[in-house]
Amino acid sequence: MNDRAERLSGWGRYPVAECMITRPRNAEAVPPLLSHLPKAIARGNGRSYGDASLAPDATVDLRRLDHFIDFDRTSGCLTCEGGALLADIVDTMLPRGWFVPVTPGTKLVTVGGMIASDVHGKNHHVAGSFCDHVEWIDLAIGAGEVLRCSPGEHADLFAATCGGMGLTGVILRACFRLLRVESTAVRQRIVRAATLADAFEIFEASLDWTYSVAWIDCLAQGRHLGRSAIFLGEHALSDQLPPARQAAPLARHARRTKHVPFDFPAFVLSRPSVRLFNRLYYAAQRPGNAIVDIDPFFYPLDAVHDWNRIYGRPGFIQYQCVLPLAESEMGLTRLLREIAAVGEASFLAVLKRMGPASFGMLSFPMEGYTLALDFPANRGSFALLDRLDAITAEHGGHIYLAKDARAGATSFANGYARLDEFRAVRAHYGLDQHFASLLSRRLEI
């Protein structure tokens, strides 16, 4: 175990803070460590975008807690340490015919981070969030104490931890269910939507597809507002593969990767550049069916190492909100009009259909639609995002804490109805005395 001060940030590279970081060698070292630390926060692979895993006094790096502990081939339950990387789980279990039931858009995240953020994926409308598939967690809550939490044991702490952004303790171990698959491929369908209304119609007509997601042109205006390319998917059965792949349906295929070697200059993300990119990308998405590998379908950006450098040295902000189903079309129309009018560039804009709200007290999902966009971290973006916050609130929505780096305490509190319940659980277990982050202080959690 070693302590040292380091300058850290989330994946958005904004904000940057000097943190005293501690790296325990194993899970057994964490509970006694917490007894001697000031208010701490756990940090996995640093893939939350903002300041959720930053604590100047005590940031606990869990990447050494990356062991697999047990796998039950009958139930599909995998037990591992909280610092286990999703990429290692996929690389180990997929060739054996198992895949995670819910995955975010990158596999470079830890299991503990997935639980703390209660991540969702392209299948939330049918499978819920990741924590809906978690059987139990072992949680170090400070003062040397470890509690096993599940829907039937310390259920209040379990619900606070799932989506609780690390503010209830350090996730040492977790057990969760995997999904049986027959191949490493996805049966994909691409559908183009000329307008936002068309995109909604396609999503609602495609609810029987397990996976659905749309890339959306956030700079399109007028009659093109909300034009999108919608990607639908199902895990391919072995007999649906091309003949050449049917003999080894679970074989992995080498993936070419690229690297962003330097911070891009600002003009790369100018409005004309992104507008041109969006037009070309939309035109390139040819409607039709194809068999594609799991990696490009679920993790397209993982093929571009250090892609966060595209936004330049100041970093970027990812804004993700969710709106209730009844308010989604009107609210998203207003959001897209505001973004297109200002012209702040975002070429990574994603729209998804969400299912019912999750059980976690601070979990992000609710039934409706979620929009995620990236913006350069500059004064113009911050002013725009304040206006997007107001529109989101007016339509009964809220933002995603795992992506946030700048929201205010009032707008956050107004969007999360169970915040007082979360605070009460923290106080009941004494967690408010042991765990804090820059995010929790900024949002006055």
Side-chain angles (χ1 to χ4, degrees):
M1 189 184 308
N2 60 316
D3 297 350
R4 57 181 294 179
E6 295 184 18
R7 290 179 61 79
L8 297 177
S9 71
W11 184 244
R13 304 173 74 193
Y14 174 89
V16 178
E18 185 164 293
C19 301
M20 186 62 68
I21 190 163
T22 300
R23 296 184 172 89
R25 293 187 178 89
N26 51 49
E28 289 69 30
V30 174
L33 170 68
L34 294 177
S35 299
H36 299 95
L37 287 178
K39 290 186 178 181
I41 199 69
R43 180 179 172 91
N45 205 36
R47 281 294 179 126
S48 58
Y49 281 72
D51 51 5
S53 65
L54 305 180
D57 295 329
T59 298
V60 184
D61 186 327
L62 298 181
R63 284 178 293 181
R64 292 177 177 173
L65 279 65
D66 61 354
H67 297 87
F68 292 7
I69 298 170
D70 184 59
F71 179 65
D72 186 325
R73 291 177 175 81
T74 301
S75 65
C77 286
L78 175 67
T79 303
C80 65
E81 292 182 323
L85 205 61
L86 176 57
D88 293 336
I89 294 172
V90 173
D91 289 347
T92 302
M93 303 307 300
L94 186 56
R96 293 168 169 81
W98 297 92
F99 190 62
V100 284
V102 171
T103 178
T106 176
K107 57 183 177 179
L108 302 176
V109 293
T110 62
V111 168
M114 292 170 70
I115 294 171
S117 301
D118 195 14
V119 295
H120 57 276
K122 300 174 176 67
N123 60 343
H124 189 270
H125 62 289
V126 296
S129 299
F130 182 73
C131 290
D132 289 310
H133 305 269
V134 174
E135 295 285 318
W136 54 261
I137 57 176
D138 283 344
L139 190 69
I141 64 169
E145 188 174 6
V146 177
L147 296 179
R148 176 154 295 187
C149 306
S150 71
E153 189 174 4
H154 299 296
D156 57 344
L157 188 52
F158 185 69
T161 301
C162 293
M165 304 310 298
L167 298 172
T168 61
V170 177
I171 298 168
L172 301 179
R173 290 169 288 270
C175 176
F176 55 94
R177 301 181 298 277
L178 295 181
L179 174 72
R180 218 29 168 134
V181 296
E182 291 188 18
S183 77
T184 60
V186 172
R187 181 166 53 86
Q188 175 182 270
R189 175 175 296 173
I190 297 178
V191 185
R192 288 203 305 211
T195 67
L196 183 63
D198 291 341
F200 273 91
E201 185 176 338
I202 293 166
F203 269 113
E204 294 302 316
S206 305
L207 293 177
D208 55 338
W209 283 79
T210 300
Y211 300 102
S212 61
V213 65
W215 167 87
I216 187 166
D217 184 351
C218 68
L219 291 184
Q221 295 176 290
R223 62 189 179 91
H224 298 301
L225 184 77
R227 66 179 172 187
S228 312
I230 299 170
F231 301 84
L232 307 173
E234 298 286 351
H235 289 285
L237 304 178
S238 56
D239 60 4
Q240 295 173 331
L241 299 177
R245 295 187 61 172
Q246 290 186 8
L250 293 170
R252 300 296 301 277
H253 298 271
R255 188 182 189 193
R256 288 185 177 181
T257 59
K258 297 179 180 179
H259 179 75
V260 179
F262 55 84
D263 296 328
F264 278 25
F267 74 82
V268 174
L269 289 176
S270 66
R271 181 170 183 161
S273 298
V274 176
R275 188 183 292 277
L276 176 61
F277 170 86
N278 287 356
R279 287 176 179 171
L280 295 174
Y281 186 85
Y282 180 75
Q285 305 313 307
R286 302 294 184 184
N289 301 317
I291 298 293
V292 300
D293 286 335
I294 271 179
D295 279 288
F297 184 83
F298 289 107
Y299 314 114
L301 286 176
D302 284 353
V304 184
H305 298 303
D306 297 324
W307 65 262
N308 55 351
R309 303 186 74 175
I310 292 173
Y311 286 89
R313 186 165 297 175
F316 69 97
I317 305 291
Q318 180 156 116
Y319 186 84
Q320 184 167 2
C321 65
V322 62
L323 300 175
L325 188 58
E327 296 285 331
S328 287
E329 187 167 356
M330 183 182 297
L332 284 168
T333 298
R334 290 184 62 195
L335 290 170
L336 290 172
R337 283 176 177 165
E338 186 72 31
I339 294 163
V342 173
E344 284 293 332
S346 174
F347 63 88
L348 297 174
V350 175
L351 180 68
K352 287 189 290 229
R353 172 63 154 86
M354 308 292 278
S358 300
F359 67 89
M361 295 175 188
L362 297 186
S363 290
F364 170 72
M366 69 165 67
E367 187 161 19
Y369 282 82
T370 178
L371 177 68
L373 314 99
D374 293 339
F375 298 102
N378 60 41
R379 185 177 301 175
S381 294
F382 292 147
L384 170 63
L385 294 176
D386 287 342
R387 296 194 293 275
L388 300 188
D389 282 345
I391 294 171
T392 297
E394 288 172 20
H395 291 275
H398 56 240
I399 60 171
Y400 190 17
L401 298 183
K403 305 293 181 70
D404 179 53
R406 33 62 54 194
T410 300
S411 62
F412 157 69
N414 291 338
Y416 281 84
R418 300 181 68 186
L419 177 57
D420 286 342
E421 187 180 357
F422 179 81
R423 286 172 171 154
V425 170
R426 286 238 302 164
H428 174 73
Y429 288 93
L431 306 173
D432 51 347
Q433 304 301 311
H434 293 285
F435 302 101
S437 64
L438 290 184
L439 178 142
S440 71
R441 289 167 178 162
R442 173 170 54 84
L443 298 180
E444 301 176 8
I445 295 176

